[in-house]
Amino acid sequence: MNHSQHPHQPATILVVDDTPDNLMLMADLLRDKYRVKVATNGEKALRILQGDPLPDLILLDIMMPGLSGLQVAERLQQETRTRHIPIIFLTAMAAMENEIQGLALGAVDYITKPISPPRVLARVDTQLKIKAATDFLRDQNDFLEQEVRRRTREVMAIQEVTIQAMASLAETRDNETGNHIRRTQHYVKLLAELLRDHPRFRPFLNDETIHLLFKSAPLHDIGKVGIPDHILLKPGRLTKEEFEIMMTHTTLGRDAIQRAEDQLGMSVDFLRLAKEIAYSHQEKWDGSGYPEGLAGDAIPISARLMAVADVYDALISRRVYKPGMPHEEAVDIIRQGGGWHFDPDVCAAFLSATDQFKAIADRFSDSEQDMADLQAAKHHPTP
């Protein structure tokens, strides 16, 4: 809890005044109902306020030698742990500028000297009730904020696990390892960060979208779950008829994600991007790709990023039926694809940071065990 007053204990009041008679008068007046702490100057008050528990209310003389009451209030306002303690100023001064300055520094009331005991007790009681209500609301808000953060973390974790589980379905059936998913995730994120300030991409590539792209990228080949093993796992070149079936993985992927979204009954941003990527990552800049033969800016930006990431990784990755291509050769092929296969600006971004792409590839490279597992899966395909 933010406040020090326990519901079954009297409130604590700190009285700060440089005149001993005034301190004694206030202490005698308040101690029947409250716990009272006293300080004879501003410096002592600040030392008391460094400890725990904090007082629930401060009665603070303005005119004191050393630190004035206004200076003490300013110090308290600057500290997170003390800025919520209400202050009632004790003053013989009636100057308006001091009242305005005090209110700006967190004062909730003024009591003029000589004091009237009934007025002091009434104002102290009023301010403590207000503080108790304020503390209750602040504690409730803190609890609600923590609960929202906790539930948000849970939802995000469920999303991540669901994505990984769905992506692993495609991964276990394909000639690719789980590291392909991780590599392409990081390639897409890197491309997005390289292009975020580019005039063509700035309106789309904000922090939230880049995060969603990273989350949704693993679902780019989810549609391969629906491709028969004799086509999906064929080591050689596909026939025309087989390739026609292979091309349907884009539509199968989009439709699977759409069905999941329909079941959810609401639109979800990362699933929208996942659908775009799954459906359109095989489109080419010149319109010669599939499934729709989209060209240029008609291809979603998310899919244009994935196209470069996916091709680069396919080139450098070893498979059970082929060795990986050297990084430099893969870079040269991507370079040649700029303007017909790939968006020229996405291609240029890739070429500006080829060392970073290689670092990602090295970081998530396929181990001998990964390849052995893949070989075993290939020899025992699903029916």
Side-chain angles (χ1 to χ4, degrees):
M1 297 174 70
N2 292 315
H3 53 290
S4 58
Q5 182 181 357
H6 189 278
H8 302 299
Q9 293 179 345
T12 300
I13 298 174
L14 173 61
V15 184
V16 188
D17 196 310
D18 65 309
T19 305
D21 288 347
N22 289 341
L23 275 182
M24 187 175 299
L25 177 64
M26 295 298 288
D28 287 343
L29 178 62
L30 296 168
R31 67 164 52 104
D32 286 345
K33 288 185 67 177
Y34 310 108
R35 287 184 295 180
V36 181
K37 294 181 178 181
V38 298
T40 53
N41 56 54
E43 290 83 354
K44 287 182 180 177
L46 291 176
R47 282 199 294 275
I48 290 172
L49 289 162
Q50 287 174 357
D52 285 316
L54 289 170
D56 298 286
L57 179 68
I58 301 173
L59 300 177
L60 181 59
D61 188 21
I62 288 185
M63 296 297 291
M64 294 185 293
L67 286 176
S68 71
L70 292 174
Q71 289 172 314
V72 171
E74 186 173 16
R75 296 273 189 92
L76 299 183
Q77 194 66 21
Q78 292 169 353
E79 296 293 329
T80 302
R81 70 188 296 268
T82 56
R83 69 171 53 139
H84 296 299
I85 304 173
I87 297 170
I88 297 177
F89 278 126
L90 304 172
T91 178
M93 297 162 44
M96 180 62 72
E97 60 269 19
N98 284 290
E99 184 173 341
I100 292 170
Q101 188 178 358
L103 291 170
L105 293 172
V108 293
D109 204 351
Y110 275 82
I111 295 176
T112 54
K113 298 176 183 179
I115 65 164
S116 161
R119 182 177 298 140
V120 170
L121 290 172
R123 291 187 173 180
V124 165
D125 182 63
T126 297
Q127 293 304 327
L128 285 172
K129 286 176 178 174
I130 292 172
K131 180 178 186 293
T134 303
D135 285 343
F136 175 78
L137 290 174
R138 188 180 305 119
D139 288 341
Q140 287 294 100
N141 286 338
D142 287 347
F143 171 77
L144 290 173
E145 286 176 9
Q146 290 171 13
E147 188 67 8
V148 167
R149 283 195 294 269
R150 182 184 71 78
R151 294 193 178 188
T152 300
R153 284 195 302 271
E154 282 184 0
V155 169
M156 298 296 284
I158 290 167
Q159 283 186 1
E160 309 262 338
V161 169
T162 303
I163 292 167
Q164 292 301 327
M166 290 175 69
S168 69
L169 287 174
E171 164 204 322
T172 54
R173 299 207 48 241
D174 200 357
N175 280 306
E176 291 170 344
T177 68
N179 287 331
H180 167 72
I181 288 172
R182 285 183 280 277
R183 289 192 297 266
T184 49
Q185 263 190 306
H186 286 274
Y187 298 150
V188 167
K189 182 182 179 184
L190 176 55
L191 281 170
E193 288 171 342
L194 291 168
L195 289 163
R196 67 181 306 154
D197 293 323
H198 191 290
R200 289 181 59 218
F201 301 95
R202 190 183 299 125
F204 176 70
L205 292 176
N206 54 41
D207 285 343
E208 177 66 12
T209 300
I210 292 173
H211 174 67
L212 293 176
L213 284 168
F214 183 79
K215 281 178 63 172
S216 54
L219 297 178
H220 65 281
D221 274 340
I222 185 64
K224 288 184 176 179
V225 170
I227 304 300
D229 284 334
H230 73 275
I231 296 174
L232 187 65
L233 302 179
K234 185 176 179 179
R237 192 174 184 85
L238 297 178
T239 66
K240 182 176 182 296
E241 292 75 17
E242 289 171 338
F243 189 67
E244 292 283 341
I245 295 171
M246 177 64 85
M247 287 195 297
T248 64
H249 83 273
T250 55
T251 305
L252 290 170
R254 189 268 317 266
D255 292 348
I257 298 167
Q258 183 63 59
R259 282 193 296 273
E261 198 170 25
D262 292 342
Q263 288 288 322
L264 192 61
M266 61 185 288
S267 178
V268 183
D269 282 343
F270 88 89
L271 290 180
R272 174 180 58 80
L273 291 174
K275 284 186 293 185
E276 288 180 357
I277 291 172
Y279 189 56
S280 302
H281 70 283
Q282 295 290 352
E283 300 285 4
K284 295 181 180 177
W285 185 250
D286 67 355
S288 64
Y290 65 88
E292 290 194 59
L294 300 178
D297 288 329
I299 306 169
I301 291 172
S302 57
R304 282 180 258 160
L305 300 175
M306 177 53 76
V308 172
D310 199 32
V311 170
Y312 171 71
D313 200 65
L315 292 171
I316 64 165
S317 298
R318 55 181 172 154
R319 296 287 181 264
V320 290
Y321 57 87
K322 77 167 186 75
M325 181 182 291
H327 167 75
E328 293 74 16
E329 286 184 37
V331 168
D332 195 47
I333 289 176
I334 300 291
R335 181 184 293 109
Q336 293 171 36
W340 73 270
H341 189 155
F342 309 115
D343 180 326
D345 289 325
V346 178
C347 185
F350 169 84
L351 295 173
S352 74
T354 55
D355 287 349
Q356 289 172 262
F357 282 87
K358 186 175 188 307
I360 292 170
D362 291 343
R363 179 182 168 196
F364 298 105
S365 61
D366 297 315
S367 68
E368 292 300 328
Q369 186 60 50
D370 293 327
M371 299 311 294
D373 292 344
L374 192 59
Q375 183 73 42
K378 184 169 181 284
H379 285 160
H380 299 86
T382 56

